[in-house]
Amino acid sequence: MTDAVGSIDMPDAEDTSSDAKKKGRKGGKRGKKGPLGRLAVFYRQIVAELRKVVWPTRSQLTSYTTVVIIFVVVMIGLVTVIDFGFQEAVKYVFG
């Protein structure tokens, strides 16, 4: 199945330049760099992605944290009650 720009199976245009065939390079620009160069690119990409993040305001962070803490306390209470119930049931059945 193809669309206006082609498909994965059949690309729009093939690279027929003689330079690409002669040199046999792999990876484009990344292929030229050593391990430290690739590591530097990786960290630059991390910083670029972190700049795109929409960080919550202090009030949003406070409200989100409060909701999470309340939810955890409620779940702890629920598990405690269920555990106590099972404990009493086992005591009743086995003695």
Side-chain angles (χ1 to χ4, degrees), residues 33 36-37 39-49 51:
K33 298 180 180 177
L36 292 178
L39 190 63
V41 168
F42 177 70
Y43 282 114
R44 271 187 258 135
Q45 290 173 348
I46 289 174
V47 170
E49 288 297 321
R51 288 187 179 148

Side-chain angles (χ1 to χ4, degrees), residues 78-94:
L78 182 66
V79 169
T80 301
V81 168
I82 292 172
D83 185 50
F84 182 72
F86 280 132
Q87 176 186 353
E88 292 302 316
V90 167
K91 281 183 184 177
Y92 178 75
V93 171
F94 295 109

Side-chain angles (χ1 to χ4, degrees), residues 3-37:
D3 53 18
V5 291
S7 72
I8 295 174
D9 298 329
M10 299 185 70
D12 289 336
E14 294 187 22
D15 187 14
T16 57
S17 67
S18 60
D19 291 338
K21 290 181 181 178
K22 287 181 186 176
K23 294 183 182 178
R25 272 192 262 152
K26 296 180 182 177
K29 291 183 180 178
R30 287 190 205 168
K32 296 179 187 177
K33 298 180 180 177
L36 292 178

Side-chain angles (χ1 to χ4, degrees), residues 47-58 60-61 64:
V47 170
E49 288 297 321
L50 285 175
R51 288 187 179 148
K52 294 178 188 177
V53 173
V54 178
W55 297 99
T57 62
R58 185 173 294 272
Q60 287 174 331
L61 189 62
Y64 296 160

